[in-house]
Amino acid sequence: MKRFFRGSLLIFLVIAVMIAAKPTLGIMSEQAKWTQFKNDHLTIHLLSEDTPPTMAVKSIVNEFTAKTGIKVEITQTRLEDVVAKTILDFSAKAGDIELIYTDPYQILSPFHGHLADMRKFMNDPALPKIPLGLNDFIKTDLIAGGYMIDKDRLLGIPYDCPTMIWIYRKDIFLKYKDKFMADRGYDWTPGSNLSWEQYYEIAKWINEHVPEVKAGTGHQALMYDSLQCDFSNVLAAYGGKYFANDQVNLWGSNLPGKCMLDQPQAIEATRFYKKLLSIAHPGSTSWDWNGLAEAFAAGDIAMAPEWHEFASTFEDPARSKVAGKVGYALLPHGANGSKNHWGGTNISINSYASEKKQKAAWLYILWATSPNVQKKLLLRGSTPTRYAVYNDRFVKQWIKFKVNPIMESLHTVTEAWKPENIFLRPKTPYWLDVNTVVFTNLSYMLAGKLSPEEAMRDATLKIDQITGYNKMKK
């Protein structure tokens, strides 16, 4: 009988401890959630492309360490190096890079199975919640950068949102406006009311009449991802597209359908692109987005399609000869309107990292993408990905009065994000190979080795083989 009572008492005590422990998580203070790893001496690693948002967050990351006790080592490098290092970590299942700048096309699409599902952190009562919830993030950024096919599996939180727009020298366009109008009969002030053909005409006119610059236009036409990005603005404006399945552009798809680069709209766009590059700065075929930005900042070109976040470089007198002289507008239109290439990226967690470090990484993501931090980073040249920041009364004033360089471009960028103006490239596991075919054939075309028709028809055949469309058709 004594043994029975002792056993019963022991069971009772175990149950009591369990009951007592369970609600403790529920009443865990917010401060305790943020400081739970303070004495664990944790260091986590963020691998990112060298972008203005990462430069900005690096300048204040010590605030996160002070808040949580967690150190963050940030590595900034070229996008191709981010992709290569991420692939190596995934292949070895090392988990050494806890936080990844997850390019939607080169990392998320082909390697989404290696990323942690954000829902497990969102549903963990021992971790803080997302301030204002997921609905506060710009919808396009959230979906295009955070999901791959599965609409229930969130793989990243919006981190940056670079978008290609028309950058130009305001001083040159103002100085020569009347002379150009007298010659050509229309106002050349940049904007989506002008066509790509007019953009070409303007660039050619500047080549012939404006000694202040070496060329009217410049492009990121290096045989690399940048060439595909530059070309895509024209392709989409002319009504062309990469694949038949439109679902591939937002949520992503394993079945993108037939490649559409051999269609009339795509062929027409390619012909025009070759013509445009024939009068562009000769350095264009050796520039990616960084090279183009350096040339523009040096005062070598009058205008270009470029990622808007370089505004922080263009408006910095220490790094730019054109500070205070730069204008921003939507890209020119084609038959399908103005299409401005979105290149946003979310930040993700490596599923091979330890559970403790994954949770520490989640704390970093919450902090770095929170409204308060995004508002602070805006003043350092980063573009917010949250509605709450744009709706903030102080931010509205900052944008209105353009209190820092990035503000100069935000009016245009928010217009570029509207559904009728934005372009999203395909999100498919095959994109790395597809992208290589596209920029390789375009590069051969620009070098005179292929005609526009040959370049696109050859690309279509190769891409249909890559995706398996030819086999499915049979």
Side-chain angles (χ1 to χ4, degrees), residues 452-470:
E453 295 80 5
E454 290 170 336
M456 291 299 99
R457 287 168 186 157
D458 179 72
T460 299
L461 288 173
K462 289 176 178 176
I463 291 169
D464 281 341
Q465 289 174 348
I466 290 169
T467 63
Y469 176 77
N470 286 336

Side-chain angles (χ1 to χ4, degrees), residues 45-50 54 58 73-77 82 85:
H45 304 82
L46 167 62
L47 176 62
S48 171
E49 184 182 0
D50 191 4
T54 299
K58 195 172 183 177
E73 291 187 359
I74 300 176
T75 299
Q76 298 167 266
T77 187
V82 173
K85 290 178 180 181

Side-chain angles (χ1 to χ4, degrees), residues 127-338:
L127 294 171
K129 302 297 182 186
I130 297 174
L132 303 181
L134 287 177
N135 289 335
D136 188 49
F137 289 102
I138 294 171
K139 190 174 181 180
T140 299
D141 296 349
L142 182 66
I143 298 174
Y147 292 91
M148 181 57 190
I149 303 173
D150 187 344
K151 296 182 179 181
D152 293 322
R153 192 164 172 259
L154 178 61
L155 302 172
I157 301 297
Y159 178 68
D160 72 3
C161 46
T163 305
M164 293 188 80
I165 57 174
W166 186 347
I167 60 167
Y168 64 96
R169 288 278 299 276
K170 289 189 296 186
D171 56 329
I172 288 175
F173 274 79
L174 182 61
K175 179 178 179 180
Y176 291 93
K177 179 178 179 179
D178 292 340
K179 186 175 181 180
F180 179 86
M181 187 176 288
D183 279 358
R184 301 298 177 179
Y186 62 89
D187 184 350
W188 73 347
T189 303
S192 60
N193 58 301
L194 297 177
S195 69
W196 274 108
E197 285 288 349
Q198 288 172 316
Y199 182 97
Y200 168 85
E201 187 175 47
I202 292 167
K204 193 170 184 294
W205 192 91
I206 292 173
N207 287 350
E208 298 167 353
H209 297 89
V210 180
E212 289 95 325
V213 291
K214 296 178 180 178
T217 184
H219 295 264
Q220 45 187 276
L222 175 69
M223 190 168 72
Y224 171 59
D225 181 51
S226 57
L227 174 52
Q228 169 271 132
C229 292
D230 194 62
F231 167 72
S232 292
N233 294 311
V234 177
L235 174 71
Y238 274 65
K241 58 183 181 178
Y242 287 101
F243 292 107
N245 180 6
D246 291 331
Q247 181 76 7
V248 76
N249 296 327
L250 184 61
W251 291 97
S253 176
N254 289 326
L255 301 170
K258 182 188 181 331
C259 178
M260 304 296 283
L261 291 177
D262 61 351
Q263 299 302 298
Q265 299 93 327
I267 298 292
E268 183 185 2
T270 310
R271 288 193 193 112
F272 171 77
Y273 188 73
K274 182 178 181 180
K275 183 175 80 167
L276 176 61
L277 267 290
S278 72
I279 55 103
H281 190 294
S284 295
T285 52
S286 65
W287 294 335
D288 63 1
W289 39 76
N290 291 305
L292 175 61
E294 289 169 5
F296 186 83
D300 291 343
I301 52 181
M303 61 182 184
E306 179 61 294
W307 301 102
H308 86 277
E309 287 187 335
F310 281 108
S312 57
T313 298
F314 302 146
E315 302 292 352
D316 183 352
R319 295 184 288 170
S320 172
K321 294 181 180 180
V322 298
K325 302 175 182 178
V326 186
Y328 306 89
L330 290 180
L331 288 171
H333 73 264
N336 195 37
S338 169

Side-chain angles (χ1 to χ4, degrees), residues 9-29:
L9 180 60
L10 181 60
I11 292 171
F12 174 78
L13 289 172
V14 169
I15 293 173
V17 169
M18 290 175 65
I19 292 173
K22 190 172 182 179
T24 300
L25 293 177
I27 60 172
M28 192 175 181
S29 70

Side-chain angles (χ1 to χ4, degrees), residues 34 40 43 69 96 99 104 128-129 171 188 199 210 212 241 247 265 269 283 340 363 399 402 413 425 433 465 468:
W34 282 99
D40 291 340
T43 298
D96 294 332
L99 289 157
K129 302 297 182 186
D171 56 329
W188 73 347
Y199 182 97
V210 180
E212 289 95 325
K241 58 183 181 178
Q247 181 76 7
Q265 299 93 327
N340 302 262
L363 293 180
I399 294 174
K402 301 175 182 179
V413 171
R425 78 193 88 157
D433 293 329
Q465 289 174 348

